[in-house]
Amino acid sequence: PIGTVPRRRPPRSDMGRGLTLLLLPLALLAAPAEGGTAAAEEVKIEVLHLPEVCSPKSKKGDLLNAHYDGFLAGNGSKFYCSRTQNEGHPKWFVLGVGQVIKGLDIAMMNMCPGEKRKVIIPPSLAYGQQGYAQGKIPPNATLIFEIELYAVNKGPRSVEAFNQIDKDSDKKLSALEISQYLKEEFARDGKKRHPSVHDEILADIFKKNDHDGDGFISAKEYNVYQHDEL
């Protein structure tokens, strides 16, 4: 995702994008900005193209699909281009939950499919005083992103997703329900997997989501993106 720094082991490549986004915490999280000047600085947004039909507009928790180029404001050099990564596929990420730098979470709110924006993000809302050496971003760097948004979808922790798994509508997810969901996802994407992958993923899901250890994932435990409908 945009402006992200790896902190943990990334998810297994054979898990499937939709499955991984739905139940497993993403391994890439944005580096926190340092310094206390964020309140005095803001993201500058220039809309380069706005489609005639601008709906739906993005909001916190939505799953977005976008291409973007990143530049250093200081010298104009490009430090990232999504079109040259991952065989040129647009990037997927959840908006407003810290999977990208704070400035991009702000910059891509209320954006619609087909919209293009140029945004300027101050250091306090990007990589702050520490910079990001791996991404060739120096300390205290102001960043410029040119973004093209392709899709705005219901987020992976949406009410619809929970209800899809909760077959008996008891507002909690059992191992059997999640196991069945995994089988359906595996069948849908058609990738070949060792049988042990299913059990590994199921165990990991409960390890990371069943906080009270009762053998179920409640609506509250699942609801990490603060939806109010459950």
Side-chain angles (χ1 to χ4, degrees):
I2 306 172
T4 52
V5 179
R7 286 184 177 173
R8 302 177 185 169
R9 177 177 58 85
R12 295 176 58 140
S13 59
D14 60 356
M15 288 183 183
R17 179 189 58 78
L19 162 65
T20 304
L21 283 170
L22 179 61
L23 287 169
L24 301 182
L26 293 184
L28 299 180
L29 298 175
E34 294 181 354
T37 59
E41 298 182 308
E42 62 182 12
V43 176
K44 296 180 180 178
I45 300 173
E46 178 185 357
V47 177
L48 303 177
H49 173 72
L50 188 67
E52 291 185 10
V53 178
C54 186
S55 178
K57 290 190 175 183
S58 60
K59 63 183 182 305
K60 180 179 178 181
D62 281 343
L63 180 62
L64 305 188
N65 184 237
H67 262 316
Y68 53 89
D69 295 314
F71 305 86
L72 298 178
N75 59 17
S77 64
K78 182 183 292 188
F79 61 83
Y80 192 78
C81 175
S82 65
R83 291 174 174 84
T84 63
Q85 303 291 322
N86 192 29
E87 299 181 345
H89 296 301
K91 302 300 181 183
W92 290 94
F93 65 96
V94 179
L95 183 64
V97 298
Q99 290 180 3
V100 295
I101 56 176
K102 187 174 182 180
L104 281 166
D105 268 339
I106 295 171
M108 296 186 70
M109 290 287 183
N110 297 311
M111 195 172 180
C112 56
E115 185 174 344
K116 298 179 182 179
R117 290 182 179 183
K118 178 180 179 180
V119 302
I120 301 175
I121 300 174
S124 61
L125 297 175
Y127 293 97
Q129 297 175 9
Q130 79 273 26
Y132 178 28
Q134 184 177 343
K136 299 180 180 180
I137 299 173
N140 299 309
T142 296
L143 306 182
I144 298 173
F145 284 96
E146 293 181 357
I147 307 163
E148 182 174 4
L149 183 61
Y150 291 101
V152 177
N153 296 329
K154 290 285 187 180
R157 296 290 178 130
S158 68
V159 176
E160 290 84 356
F162 184 93
N163 290 337
Q164 179 184 353
I165 305 170
D166 184 23
K167 300 294 187 183
D168 60 7
S169 301
D170 63 353
K171 298 301 180 183
K172 59 184 179 181
L173 307 180
S174 67
L176 181 62
E177 287 173 326
I178 295 177
S179 176
Q180 182 60 37
Y181 175 79
L182 294 179
K183 292 176 181 178
E184 292 171 357
E185 284 292 298
F186 288 168
R188 186 175 293 115
D189 69 25
K191 294 181 179 179
K192 293 183 178 180
R193 297 176 175 83
H194 190 277
S196 65
V197 171
H198 174 279
D199 295 337
E200 290 174 7
I201 295 176
L202 185 62
D204 196 41
I205 288 170
F206 273 87
K207 180 180 178 181
K208 294 176 178 176
N209 293 275
D210 182 17
H211 304 305
D212 61 9
D214 67 349
F216 295 90
I217 297 174
S218 68
K220 183 177 181 180
E221 288 170 328
Y222 175 92
N223 193 23
V224 297
Y225 297 149
Q226 305 302 312
H227 292 278
D228 297 327
E229 297 94 329
L230 287 173

